[in-house]
Structures are given as C-alpha cells and as structure tokens.
Amino acid sequence: MKITFIGAGSLGFSRRLMIDILGFPEFQDATFALMDINPKRLDYTRRIAEKIIKQGNFSAKLQVTTNRREALQDADYVIIMILVGDIEVIRPDIEIPLKYGVDQCIGDTLGPGGVFRALRTIPVLIDICKDMEEVCPNAWLLNYTNPMAMLCWAMNDYTKIKNVGLCHSVQGTAWQLSNYLGVPTNEIDYWVAGINHQAWFLEFKWKGKDAYPLLREKINDPNIYNIETTRFEMFKHLGYFVTESSGHNSEYNAWFRKRPDLKEKYTPGGGWNGGTGFILQLYGTDRENYEVELEKIASSNDPVDLTQSHEYGAYIIHSLHTGVVRRINGNVKNTGLITNLPEGCCVEVPCYVDKQGIHPCYVGALPPQLAALNRSNIAVQEMAVKAAMTGDKDMAFWAVAYDPLTAAVCSLEEIRKMVDELFEAEKKWLPQFT
C-alpha cells in the first residue's frame, strides 16, 4: 500500500499520522511518499520518519521527493496538509483587516483571512486533484487543510476524486466536555452535525442519559466558563454546544468581536480563547529559532513516542482497507443530509466507514437558530469558492462583505478598500486574479 503526504514538511502532522498508521500491523510494510515544495522542511520530516521506522523495526519504505506527480503515482491514499504561502502570507491576512477594525484570532476558516486563504489554496488543491485523476484516480483524498469547508466544496464541484475533510474538533470537543463533567470520555455518546468548526452537539449523553443539564451547571463555574467563553455564551443563548475553540467561533458571527468592550468581556486571557492574531503565535513569529527547534527534533537521539493518537486519518484508512466499521465525523457534500442547509454545500456529519467507502448519515433539519448561523457562514463559503475558481474579484469582495464579523464592523466602501489592499499584498499567491 502507498500513502502519500502532500505538505509533508508540516512536521507535527506528518509525524503524528505516520505513527498512527504504522500502529496497525496491516500497514507496517507500507510505502510512505513524503512530498513538500520546501526541501529543508522535507528533510526534517525524512529524518524523523527514518527514526520512526528504525525504532519500531517496521518494514515500511520511504519515498521522499519535491515532485508532486512522482509522489502521487499509484497512491492508494493521499493526505493533504498544505499551507500555500506559509507564514509570509498569513500576516497580511490578520494585519490588514485589523487596520479596518476586523479583529481576527485565527482567520483560517471564515472572514477576510479565511476567504483569502481559500483564494490561495483552492487552485493548488484542484491541481493536486487533477494530477490524481491521471496517476491515482481511485485513491482516497483525506484533507486536513483549512478552510476545510471551502476546499472540500471546491473538490466536490470541480474534481472526480473521492475525498473527505477531517478535523479533530468533534472528538476534541467531546474530550473537553467529558473533562468539564469529570467523567471518562468513553462513557460519553454524541451526535454532532453542522459545518466544519461550527457543528453542533445535537445529542450529548453520559451513560445513555442527557448530559446537557450537567453541562449547563458549568456555565456558573468561572474556572470552566473563562476557558471557553464564547462557546459557553453560545451554548447559554442558542441551547447547543458548538465544536472548535472559542477563538475560532468568536470570528464566525457578529456578537463578540465588533467592539473593544465586547472583545475584553468575551475573550478573557486571549490565546485560544480569542486573542488578536493568535494564529501568528501558533505559526511562530520567530522563524529562525523555530528552524533551530526543528533541527533539534530531527537530530535528537531521544526515542519517539509511538503511541497512536485519536486523529481520524489512520482509522479511516484502516477501515477502508480492512472493512472494520467505524463512525467518524467527516466533511462531505450535502446531498439532502441536513435538510435546512443548502444542497451541495459542505457539511460535517456522522459517517460510517467500511471497505466500500465513507457513508454519510442523514441528519434532517437542524434547530432553526443553528441552521441560521450555519447559513450565514455558508453564504461566504459559496462565493469564496466561486471567486477562487473564476478569478472574479467582485465575487471575492462579496464573500468578505457578507462575512458576519466584517459586516458588523465595516461599511461597504471600507470593505472594498480592505479587499483591494489584501489583493495587492498577496498578489504573488493569487495568479488567477491578474
């Protein structure tokens, strides 16, 4: 079996996924094709991969290349973890909107940052899929790259490649909620659906009983409430708990970041709870020392922890390969799965995985207050996908103009200026708009 990592220079992700996959006896002789356009980062991953194989005494093989088609040739599974433009282009995503009062924490899913990340990334992802159609047309593509919903929407509409979008926010939130209640995660049951980073725990049970009353009590505990302020506020007023961190969710609506007093009230402590431009800290503003740290990791003689994680990727590959049935939450095309969200958009729903493929579950209608917020985000996603594929600058402007946070802060004239400034700053990465 051949598993290809595109964007393998993402050392944390590629290392984690490789360990998870090799944790299954069936895959210990697999071929891993590691591909990245950055030779230096790719070499860090190569050295770590060699260490993992040697330490685990695996018979796996490595193919390391900067040539994408070579890496994709005859692949069975392709895992995407790319960042088009790297940290160089994330800074204007955050800093230019901030000049206009649009205060983003992460800016990789919605808002000006999310839209422009989609404009940069969708053409590259479609090119990868076109290569796959020629050299590995039957492979499954597992996407870990953001903005998840926009990228999967584009792949579903413009390529023939089988794909699923994967995010750790559902299982991560389930783990958080069980910790808040002080109960083992394996005693929690849940049914979650919506869109990526804004899916809803429609059912949340402990030992088969509704656990929402217990969770509502935690709103009154400042030690818990202040960790996830935005999400607990949404839970208090909308009635359901949402996936992904408060830092992310504070950006996807008009309620929390449009005035300094609200920002101070609803993002205490900053960081993952909503700190301004927190993504720049996550990616590391000190790149020189970051490279030094990568070198230390790659050259260290310390043993690698080979414990499997709970990321979906390896388990999906195992189920597709062996037929062992598992349930995940995946990002897939809405084919009547959520009836009050637009047909054809990208939804995040429960899916069963077996040897025949990935089978999304019917959910029906979301509660109207939840569907309304999802639809406000989907409207932005739809226009961003069209803009990325057509090179239509007006469509890109409209996508940003209808973003809930941007619209709460800026006039149309201000948004037009901001978008023009973003296009100028990022033109190197947006060739379809020339």
Side-chain angles (χ1 to χ4, degrees):
M1 187 172 68
K2 181 176 179 179
I3 304 166
T4 297
F5 291 179
I6 303 294
S10 178
L11 182 58
F13 239 134
S14 54
R15 173 178 53 181
R16 181 72 268 153
L17 288 167
M18 188 175 182
I19 290 169
D20 288 349
I21 292 166
L22 288 170
F24 290 106
E26 297 91 339
F27 302 152
Q28 291 179 0
D29 61 351
T31 294
F32 291 87
L34 309 179
M35 181 271 160
D36 201 285
I37 62 172
N38 185 324
K40 188 175 182 181
R41 296 288 296 274
L42 183 60
D43 189 60
Y44 293 137
T45 302
R46 175 192 62 79
R47 288 152 66 190
I48 289 288
E50 288 175 346
K51 185 187 300 186
I52 291 168
I53 291 171
K54 182 177 180 181
Q55 181 181 317
N57 197 28
F58 302 123
S59 54
K61 305 173 189 67
L62 289 182
Q63 177 188 4
V64 184
T65 179
T66 56
N67 184 306
R68 190 171 72 203
R69 286 177 69 92
E70 182 181 310
L72 291 171
Q73 184 71 49
D74 300 324
D76 296 291
Y77 301 96
V78 177
I79 302 177
I80 306 290
M81 39 191 157
I82 61 175
L83 177 61
V84 177
D86 205 19
I87 189 72
E88 173 188 342
V89 81
I90 292 174
R91 190 169 295 282
D93 278 354
I94 297 296
E95 293 180 349
I96 290 173
L98 191 59
K99 286 170 44 181
Y100 292 85
V102 183
D103 185 321
Q104 301 168 103
C105 175
I106 305 297
D108 71 353
T109 300
L110 208 72
V115 168
F116 271 79
R117 186 181 283 220
L119 301 183
R120 298 189 301 268
T121 309
I122 286 174
V124 176
L125 193 58
I126 297 301
D127 281 349
I128 293 170
C129 290
K130 295 303 182 185
D131 281 349
M132 289 179 65
E133 288 174 358
E134 295 180 19
V135 301
C136 57
N138 296 317
W140 270 96
L141 186 154
L142 280 58
N143 179 53
Y144 274 101
T145 299
N146 284 322
M148 179 66 67
M150 300 188 210
L151 301 189
C152 291
W153 193 332
M155 286 191 289
N156 291 333
D157 279 5
Y158 295 96
T159 82
K160 300 174 184 177
I161 293 299
K162 298 177 294 186
N163 72 87
V164 65
L166 301 177
C167 179
H168 57 258
S169 63
V170 174
Q171 65 268 44
T173 299
W175 177 83
Q176 283 180 285
L177 297 183
S178 66
N179 278 354
Y180 295 155
L181 298 186
V183 303
T185 304
N186 61 7
E187 295 180 0
I188 293 292
D189 294 311
Y190 50 85
W191 185 253
V192 178
I195 61 175
N196 182 239
H197 286 189
Q198 199 181 73
W200 310 95
F201 276 71
L202 302 175
E203 295 180 8
F204 176 58
K205 296 180 179 181
W206 175 43
K207 292 185 175 180
K209 294 183 179 180
D210 183 13
Y212 264 144
L214 299 175
L215 188 60
R216 287 190 183 92
E217 295 175 7
K218 301 302 178 181
I219 295 174
N220 301 315
D221 183 344
N223 293 321
I224 293 176
Y225 173 88
N226 288 334
I227 295 172
E228 288 284 359
T229 315
T230 296
R231 287 207 283 176
F232 271 106
E233 277 296 303
M234 293 171 71
F235 175 42
K236 183 195 303 185
H237 295 285
L238 302 182
Y240 295 84
F241 209 84
V242 69
T243 57
E244 202 41 72
S245 70
S246 284
H248 278 281
N249 269 285
S250 67
E251 302 175 322
Y252 307 153
N253 56 70
W255 301 319
F256 304 112
R257 305 181 72 88
K258 60 188 172 186
R259 301 197 313 258
D261 60 314
L262 295 178
K263 175 80 171 17
E264 183 176 350
K265 180 177 182 179
Y266 292 119
T267 64
W272 278 116
N273 203 29
T276 298
F278 182 55
I279 191 171
L280 296 173
Q281 297 177 47
L282 288 177
Y283 278 101
T285 52
D286 186 349
R287 302 305 284 174
E288 185 176 335
N289 285 337
Y290 180 62
E291 294 287 345
V292 169
E293 187 62 29
L294 289 179
E295 177 61 39
K296 283 172 60 178
I297 293 170
S299 57
S300 169
N301 291 320
D302 294 338
V304 179
D305 182 1
L306 298 181
T307 306
Q308 283 181 302
S309 77
H310 297 290
E311 287 288 351
Y312 285 143
Y315 296 94
I316 290 173
I317 293 173
H318 188 260
S319 291
L320 290 169
H321 186 73
T322 65
V324 173
V325 179
R326 292 184 173 89
R327 197 184 88 190
I328 63 158
N329 270 70
N331 289 272
V332 298
K333 188 170 187 174
N334 189 27
T335 53
L337 303 171
I338 300 181
T339 53
N340 54 351
L341 295 185
E343 188 79 3
C345 75
C346 179
V347 291
E348 189 169 77
V349 297
C351 303
Y352 283 94
V353 189
D354 59 24
K355 205 162 189 175
Q356 279 67 49
I358 297 175
H359 314 286
C361 296
Y362 173 81
V363 174
L366 298 177
Q369 73 277 22
L370 310 184
L373 185 55
N374 282 167
R375 286 195 296 264
S376 73
N377 285 219
I378 290 167
V380 176
Q381 295 167 2
E382 179 182 22
M383 289 183 281
V385 170
K386 289 181 178 178
M389 293 303 300
T390 63
D392 185 335
K393 281 191 173 183
D394 280 337
M395 191 67 70
F397 159 71
W398 294 325
V400 177
Y402 280 90
D403 167 61
L405 176 59
T406 303
V409 174
C410 295
S411 70
L412 287 169
E413 183 179 9
E414 289 167 336
I415 297 168
R416 179 73 76 176
K417 290 178 180 177
M418 176 177 65
V419 168
D420 288 345
E421 211 173 317
L422 282 163
F423 270 119
E424 179 60 28
E426 302 185 12
K427 59 186 177 183
K428 175 181 177 182
W429 307 104
L430 299 167
Q432 74 272 42
F433 292 96
T434 55

